Amino acid sequence: MKIALLLAVLAVPALAADSPSAKLIRDIEGVYQARADEVIEVVRHDDSHVYLHAAIFSPDGRHCNIAGIAAFEKGNFVFRDPSPGLSDVQCTLTLSVKDGALRLTDRATATAPPTCKELCGARGSLGDYAVATSVRAKITYLPKLKASREYLKAAKEFAESQR
């Protein structure tokens, strides 16, 4: 009986490591920089959450800067800004992988209004931002990233939302 219980406890991490969310994290974790002035960082937070930081330009040329912990939902990672600011609309950013590209969108559907305008300027949007997965690189500055103001704020907001 004790051996069976021990084996069951030891099997739990193995099952979590093979979960769809853990596999996707392994596939996308890293830094993406297709242009010198744009960066997307994806870092494992736990087996079903990632830290996402995107400092990019929206299709209309406005600079967007978004950072937070995204949860695995229906095969993608979704970040919901816990402090919507002046807008009544909560910024919701979906991170997905499709057709060899890491994709970000702040629209529920292709024709829905953008939800992250406050983070991209009044007319900014992340309607369908994509960067090739082939540009992914290992994050060599992980200790510095995890000590950054953005990461610490995101981790704190996430912890508070889990209470």
Side-chain angles (χ1 to χ4, degrees):
M1 179 86 157
K2 289 181 181 177
I3 293 174
L5 180 60
L6 179 61
L7 290 174
V9 169
L10 293 174
V12 170
L15 291 174
D18 291 338
S19 70
S21 59
K23 181 185 178 327
L24 183 55
I25 291 170
R26 283 192 307 274
D27 291 346
I28 65 172
E29 186 173 30
V31 60
Y32 299 77
Q33 194 165 9
R35 293 176 25 178
D37 55 353
E38 295 185 334
V39 65
I40 298 174
E41 297 162 323
V42 181
V43 177
R44 179 189 183 280
H45 184 72
D46 61 31
D47 281 340
S48 59
H49 296 87
V50 295
Y51 168 74
L52 168 64
H53 174 239
I56 58 179
F57 288 92
S58 68
D60 68 352
R62 300 191 185 276
H63 189 258
C64 302
N65 193 4
I66 298 172
I69 305 294
F72 186 73
E73 297 178 12
K74 300 178 184 175
N76 302 309
F77 284 97
V78 179
F79 165 69
R80 289 182 178 82
D81 190 350
S83 52
L86 301 175
S87 172
D88 290 337
V89 178
Q90 183 180 36
C91 170
T92 303
L93 188 65
T94 301
L95 170 73
S96 62
V97 178
K98 185 178 177 187
D99 300 330
L102 185 78
R103 298 184 178 277
L104 295 174
T105 185
D106 66 343
R107 298 173 188 261
T109 65
T111 58
T115 62
C116 298
K117 283 184 174 186
E118 286 192 19
L119 301 174
C120 296
R123 285 180 236 132
S125 166
L126 292 169
D128 189 24
Y129 181 88
V131 61
T133 55
S134 61
V135 302
R136 177 176 72 132
K138 182 178 180 178
I139 297 177
T140 57
Y141 51 92
L142 197 55
K144 185 177 179 181
L145 184 148
K146 287 190 172 185
S148 72
R149 183 174 33 100
E150 292 88 359
Y151 183 88
L152 294 173
K153 179 181 180 218
K156 180 182 176 188
E157 287 176 344
F158 175 72
E160 289 172 355
S161 75
Q162 299 302 299
R163 293 182 190 164

